[in-house]
Amino acid sequence: MRTIISRLALTLLVVSLGLLPTTGHAQGEAPLLPARSALSLEAALDRARRASPLLAAARADLAAADGRVRQAGALANPTLSWQYERTSAGGLRNAQHITTLEQPIAVGVRAARIRSAELRRRLAAEALRAVELDLALTVTRAYARAIAADRHVVLGEAAQAAFDRATRISAERRAAGDISAYADRRIRIEAARYAALLAQARMTQRATRRELAALVAPEAAPHAIDSLPLQMERGPTLTLSADSAVAIGLAMHPDLRSATLALEAAEADSRLVLVERRPAPTLIAGLKTEQASGLGGLDGIAAGMSLPLPVLDRRAGMIDAARAGSARATADLTQQRMRTRVEILDALDGVRAIDAQLMMLAPSLGDEATRALRAAEAAYAEGEIALLDWLDAVRSVHEAESAFALVQSESLIRRAQLARALGLPSLP
């Protein structure tokens, strides 16, 4: 029996030393929290989309851009004018009524304005999509941290219960003279240490729940979702190649698409400035009524045209500014393309590393670790192992499971980061 327990302790120690940041539940492990009435990640995302003020602001920006597109297609208003003129001399009088309608004719300007406004609208739509993806990442990160915090509380409570049992066993064995007073004090000190860890875990749990509640239920009480269990959702194994990921990301990454649209919009603004520099004629047409002494009433028409002379303002400053804006947008696009490629590859490597760690760690934890811990506790109760061996077993399991909970949380976050880098709501 002692040989079996020694091997168990060694196995637990190896598991604890081999921990790496990862995510996922051990095979066969019971769910972290009951699934009934659970707040799933998808439900949390749906709530956040409906409650987010950032999304509301982005939608308002898009609505404003829609209005600017409609306004860009409007024609200039005509001008209706009326003039009355009266002259007299030597007993003769002359009176004129002139009513005219003036309409500016700006050739090409309306089409250029519509093009520029439509690109700005597409830019606003892409900004809205970027906000949606950023919100999904933020909510997923908060959700994953809350799950890890919940798991740490569960583990802390299990450790506290184990120490409660061990404290009773220790008192019985000390009364029987099987252990020293030092061993009894040592186990009580360790129990106090784990109680402090549990208190810290509960404080972290409250903080993460508040963070999640601020995203999914900002108008409700701070503790609106404290009673809702969360679900750790393990995604399928990632089979996306680096080339495919880069191809998808370069086509769909919201920041890169925004940079591309910003360049197109800047070039459209440059064309608009050039078109607006052309003199726009104003056509004039109207009616004229004249009363002249000795001639009676005379009726006729009035016609004309006015043309501004580009002498004092040739829009040179605006043209130079528009060209500089296009050059800046080109540089931004080049920089964003390089940044996007690095972001995609880093996110892809992160998910692959997490998946590999999960596959390595999952079989050693969960039910198997729980059985090992109970076996060690039974052996200590029967006096088959020393106190330090039992404490090592408790510490190994607690640290291994705590770190594994963080790994699970990190897996969820890294998958969300990869989806954001690819410009997708979720991984393919």
Side-chain angles (χ1 to χ4, degrees):
M1 181 65 179
R2 290 181 183 275
T3 302
I4 295 175
I5 297 300
S6 298
R7 289 179 178 175
L8 277 173
L10 180 60
T11 300
L12 291 171
L13 181 61
V14 170
V15 169
S16 66
L17 291 177
L19 283 175
L20 294 170
T22 26
T23 52
H25 249 313
Q27 294 176 353
E29 183 182 355
L32 178 61
L33 290 168
R36 288 182 300 175
S37 302
L39 176 66
S40 66
L41 176 57
E42 189 56 43
L45 290 170
D46 183 62
R47 288 189 182 191
R49 293 186 192 103
R50 286 185 275 114
S52 172
L54 292 178
L55 265 182
R59 294 188 188 105
D61 288 341
L62 180 57
D66 283 332
R68 284 190 284 270
V69 171
R70 294 195 304 272
Q71 185 59 42
L75 295 171
N77 287 324
T79 301
L80 179 64
S81 63
W82 172 77
Q83 299 179 33
Y84 173 70
E85 183 178 320
R86 180 177 177 177
T87 59
S88 62
L92 299 178
R93 292 182 179 180
N94 185 39
Q96 296 180 356
H97 295 268
I98 303 174
T99 303
T100 59
L101 191 67
E102 302 176 10
Q103 178 65 54
I105 305 298
V107 180
V109 173
R110 180 171 174 268
R113 285 177 178 169
I114 292 174
R115 171 63 177 167
S116 179
E118 285 178 341
L119 286 170
R120 297 294 176 184
R121 186 210 174 276
R122 290 173 58 190
L123 193 57
E126 199 60 42
L128 172 60
R129 194 171 73 91
V131 173
E132 290 174 341
L133 293 174
D134 288 340
L135 179 64
L137 176 56
T138 301
V139 173
T140 301
R141 184 182 288 115
Y143 189 91
R145 288 174 178 171
I147 286 181
D150 288 350
R151 183 60 177 166
H152 287 161
V153 169
V154 171
L155 293 171
E157 290 173 345
Q160 187 179 54
F163 271 99
D164 288 342
R165 293 190 298 269
T167 300
R168 291 193 299 270
I169 294 171
S170 177
E172 294 171 359
R173 292 183 63 186
R174 182 184 177 191
D178 292 340
I179 62 172
S180 64
Y182 165 77
D184 185 57
R185 286 194 300 271
R186 173 66 185 276
I187 201 168
R188 294 179 187 278
I189 291 173
E190 288 292 330
R193 186 170 75 87
Y194 277 88
L197 290 176
L198 176 58
Q200 182 179 4
R202 284 172 173 163
M203 183 174 65
T204 302
Q205 183 188 45
R206 289 192 296 270
T208 56
R209 286 286 180 151
R210 284 195 298 269
E211 180 185 3
L212 183 59
L215 293 168
V216 304
E219 300 299 329
H223 307 293
I225 64 170
D226 282 0
S227 61
L228 293 179
L230 309 179
Q231 298 173 320
M232 174 56 72
E233 301 172 3
R234 180 81 169 90
T237 302
L238 188 67
T239 59
L240 193 64
S241 67
D243 290 342
S244 297
V246 170
I248 294 173
L250 291 180
M252 297 299 296
H253 195 291
D255 297 340
L256 183 56
R257 287 167 63 97
S258 292
T260 302
L261 288 170
L263 174 57
E264 293 181 17
E267 292 174 344
D269 290 344
S270 296
R271 289 191 294 271
L272 176 59
V273 170
L274 290 174
V275 171
E276 288 180 331
R277 186 175 67 166
R278 302 172 187 165
T282 299
L283 301 181
I284 304 171
L287 299 175
K288 180 178 180 180
T289 301
E290 183 175 356
Q291 292 289 336
S293 297
L295 296 177
L298 300 175
D299 296 327
I301 62 171
M305 182 185 72
S306 66
L307 184 68
L309 299 179
V311 176
L312 302 179
D313 181 10
R314 296 182 57 83
R315 312 283 288 176
M318 291 299 297
I319 292 173
D320 290 343
R323 287 173 178 169
S326 296
R328 170 60 188 269
T330 301
D332 288 343
L333 176 58
T334 302
Q335 177 65 25
Q336 184 60 53
R337 186 177 288 111
M338 293 187 295
R339 187 185 297 120
T340 298
R341 187 182 297 273
V342 172
E343 180 184 348
I344 293 168
L345 294 177
D346 285 348
L348 183 62
D349 287 345
V351 172
R352 286 175 173 172
I354 286 289
D355 285 347
Q357 293 170 29
L358 284 174
M359 293 180 63
M360 178 183 66
L361 293 175
S364 302
L365 299 175
D367 290 342
E368 183 175 340
T370 300
R371 286 192 293 268
L373 182 58
R374 289 176 178 172
E377 183 179 343
Y380 173 67
E382 296 172 4
E384 295 180 353
I385 61 173
L387 171 64
L388 291 181
D389 292 332
W390 182 79
L391 291 177
D392 284 342
V394 173
R395 184 179 300 111
S396 296
V397 171
H398 186 271
E399 291 178 356
E401 290 284 0
S402 295
F404 190 57
L406 292 177
V407 169
Q408 291 178 306
S409 170
E410 185 66 18
S411 175
L412 202 58
I413 294 172
R414 291 196 183 187
R415 285 176 174 270
Q417 289 174 336
L418 178 57
R420 171 63 172 80
L422 297 177
L424 302 175
S426 60
L427 292 183

